[in-house]
Amino acid sequence: MKKTYSAFRLARIISCFTLLMLSGKSLVLAQQYATEFVENPVDFVNPFLGTAPLTDPDFIGYTPPEGWRVWAGLTYPGATLPNSMVQLSPITEYGSGAGYEYEDSEIIGFTHTNKGHWNLCHIPVLPIAAEVTKPFKSSFDKTTEKASPGYYSVYLEDYSVKVEVTATLRAGFHKYTFKDNATHTILFDLGRANHNVDEWELKQTSRNTLEGFQRTGGDKVYFSVVFNEDISELITVNPNESKGYATLSLRSQNKPVTLKIGLSFVSTANAKENLQQEIGDKNFDEIKSLGEKIWHTVLSKIQISGGSQKEKQLFYSSLYRSMQWPALRSDINGDFTDAAGTVQNKGFGYYTNPSLWDTYRNKLVLLSLLSPEVTGDIIQSLIDKGEHSGFMPTFFHGDHAAPFVAQAYEKGITNFDVKKAYELLLNNAYKEGGTRPHIKEYIEKGFISDPDVKNPNTETKAKAGVSKTLEYALDDYSLAVLAKALNDNKNAAVLLKRSENYKNVFDPKTHFMRGKLADGSFINPFDSEYPYYEYMYREANAWQLSFYVPHDMPGLVNLYESKDAFEAKLDSLFTIPWNPMHIARNVSGFLGQYCHGNQPDHEAPFAYYFIDKPEKSQQIIDTLLEDYYGIGDEELALSGMDDAGEMSAWYIFAASGLYPLSPADNKYLISLPIFDRVKFNLGRNSLELSKEGTSRKLKQIEFNGLPVDGYFLSQEQLIQGGTLTLKTK
């Protein structure tokens, strides 16, 4: 059902706070009450969530320039397992976020790696009809598309073939049912990927096997292929060149064609071994069933009862999406290629870097809870890469391996070298030339400045000094937590003091976090509503960064003259309308000035807790859960880019009633879940959240029958398990 966002948004902004003043008015979401927990969470996953575009200017916040597709969702519907090497998914357009865009009507291939960040999409394969020529593509009817965890299928109309795909950790399984069994032709479109292909190779190794590789930048992906039919002819066009390709014909058999493909980032021999060990002689249905069982185990670690059909679908679709990245890069024998290009085998699973700028907030906390062993291997992978550079790697902006490592270690995850991790993170925090740009200025001045630029615009290149100062302050705090855990009290004290540097960019006159010049004066003129990519702010405006102190929210409140002043400023964040003339492609989905479509202000809805008004936070949280996920004509769009599961993980925590505001602290801010009951099955014990009453105003919290002082649940209590009862007014 299409929503009219212009009317909705005006009503929402007006009612968001006035409803709180009306006694006896219930804000409970529409739910279908259920006494039992969901038994088969896989049934509620829709892999198409996040693939559809945002098109309504009233919801986006502005009218996108012609030709723009707002960066919303950027997910893929294909077959994958948790944190696996393989993401086998259809491609409709190269150079797009995930290669697949829901509104497209033609499929041009099925590729084997994906993230949703304009890269990867390796080893394109497409079943085609005999005698066809470029461009290779087929139209399809959306009604023939089916997707579930570990499975995808579609009917290619132009080539009269039904395609089904499933996957293991390191291998893909294609099943092609051709309408005409006289000829079977397969395209290996190896000159293409989601960005430029530097080299590729394909060769036949036996009557029904192939092997080769494809390299795009630093990614060299080897593969080994087995068909259930013999190859009669292999033709290569423009070998080893960009846009080159190969086609092969198979000897006709009156049965579906199967293509099994193993991947490796080490060698074709390893790709072959991965394929043999993970698929071998198993048939398609066996692999599909195994994938469903794996996903059932993971998704069942959080159980829900109650809620509407859509809320259940959003919950489990979001949990499914949260558990897909980082991706495995080591083979079944343990081999991996390290940052120097050397093949290593060190006894741990080797993974890609997490998208730390986006995912340290929620997604990596969720991963640590649900997959601690994988989390430790991911951190050890970061350490291995860091030993080549002397610094712990980061992603895009900030130094957010610090909160990631700190929260994981404090959770009892120890299958990584914590002393080496700490050493590398200290290098990040103190040394120039590494992960933290401008660290010398930050240490000396307590802030990072920006140049005086006349008439800056969204694209202005500078230091993003406000964002870096705020993020480094959080990172310092997180590293101080780890230092204390490792009994390094000296560094803990220094870093804890540095974590207060957020105060150095706070303007007490305007109550904004503002950019400064090198001499310490605030940059003028100043427009609090204008968004920047790298000038003063990183993908944000002043409103969106002025509440970003997740590690010291009481300290932020104390910078105001009173709690009332803080409340008034926070109210304004959610009520001052976005200016439709302010356009930034990945900043969309606004509630006032608050942007849910990008991560930098995702902590702001919870800020009312720190002036003891959780009901006002609850109103904002409920609005975002109800109206910013599963939107648009098909109810398949997200309000912003999923960013490797971060947008999805926010939904999981907010909908569950536990939110990791300051990740390194391993404490969860308690809010009202949108379900009647939520159960976390972690380790030997489980914690069940339930709510009493229909109001959305939190009155009292009890843990195992005893009142909770404040609004936080500790990691120890979560693991201890029991019951968390939330009573409403």
Side-chain angles (χ1 to χ4, degrees), residues 317-452:
S317 298
S318 296
L319 184 54
Y320 166 77
R321 194 62 67 186
S322 298
M323 301 302 292
Q324 295 179 15
W325 195 265
L328 184 66
R329 287 294 180 262
S330 54
D331 295 320
I332 200 164
N333 63 8
D335 288 353
F336 65 89
T337 302
D338 69 13
T342 303
V343 176
Q344 303 280 2
N345 194 316
K346 298 183 178 181
F348 63 89
Y350 191 74
Y351 288 84
T352 58
N353 289 352
S355 297
L356 287 163
W357 190 63
D358 315 302
T359 59
Y360 81 91
R361 298 168 172 86
N362 303 295
K363 183 262 177 61
L364 292 176
V365 177
L366 187 62
L367 185 70
S368 300
L369 288 172
L370 304 189
S371 298
E373 188 73 22
V374 169
T375 299
D377 282 351
I378 291 168
I379 295 173
Q380 190 60 46
S381 302
L382 289 171
I383 294 168
D384 192 86
K385 294 164 191 172
E387 289 186 298
H388 292 276
S389 65
F391 298 91
M392 186 70 95
T394 190
F395 175 84
F396 189 67
H397 205 252
D399 182 20
H400 302 320
F404 178 36
V405 174
Q407 61 91 18
Y409 184 69
E410 287 292 281
K411 283 185 175 70
I413 297 173
T414 57
N415 60 317
F416 65 93
D417 187 344
V418 66
K419 291 184 178 179
K420 189 63 182 181
Y422 180 57
E423 175 188 324
L424 293 169
L425 287 168
L426 284 177
N427 288 346
N428 290 6
Y430 289 101
K431 294 183 180 180
E432 281 279 4
T435 300
R436 295 202 200 185
H438 317 294
I439 189 62
K440 183 179 179 182
E441 180 183 26
Y442 174 80
I443 292 172
E444 290 176 351
K445 296 179 179 178
F447 67 90
I448 295 171
S449 65
D450 269 289
D452 191 2

Side-chain angles (χ1 to χ4, degrees), residues 129-158:
E131 310 300 330
V132 300
T133 58
K134 291 181 68 176
F136 301 108
K137 59 183 179 180
S138 175
S139 58
F140 66 101
D141 187 331
K142 299 297 292 186
T143 62
T144 70
E145 275 193 299
K146 308 295 179 191
S148 60
Y151 175 77
Y152 172 88
S153 70
V154 68
Y155 187 77
L156 302 181
E157 294 182 339
D158 293 353

Side-chain angles (χ1 to χ4, degrees), residues 79 81 84-88 112 166-174 224 260-263 271 274-276 278-280 287:
L81 295 183
S84 66
M85 183 181 293
V86 170
Q87 301 85 31
L88 187 83
H112 295 80
T166 188
T168 64
L169 284 176
R170 302 172 180 88
F173 201 143
H174 302 235
S224 176
K260 303 175 182 179
I261 178 169
L263 265 59
N274 290 341
L275 177 58
Q276 290 173 335
E278 293 189 357
I279 295 183
I287 298 300

Side-chain angles (χ1 to χ4, degrees), residues 512-525:
F512 284 113
M513 300 291 182
R514 289 186 55 182
K516 283 186 170 181
L517 299 172
D519 65 5
S521 61
F522 287 115
I523 292 174
N524 281 301

Side-chain angles (χ1 to χ4, degrees), residues 448 450 464-470 505 513-515 536-537 545:
I448 295 171
D450 269 289
V466 175
S467 291
K468 281 191 174 65
T469 300
L470 297 174
V505 291
M513 300 291 182
R514 289 186 55 182
M536 298 190 287
Y537 311 101
L545 266 297

Side-chain angles (χ1 to χ4, degrees), residues 475-489:
D475 299 327
D476 287 339
Y477 176 83
S478 303
L479 193 51
V481 170
L482 184 59
K484 186 176 180 180
L486 297 175
N487 299 313
D488 183 357
N489 294 323

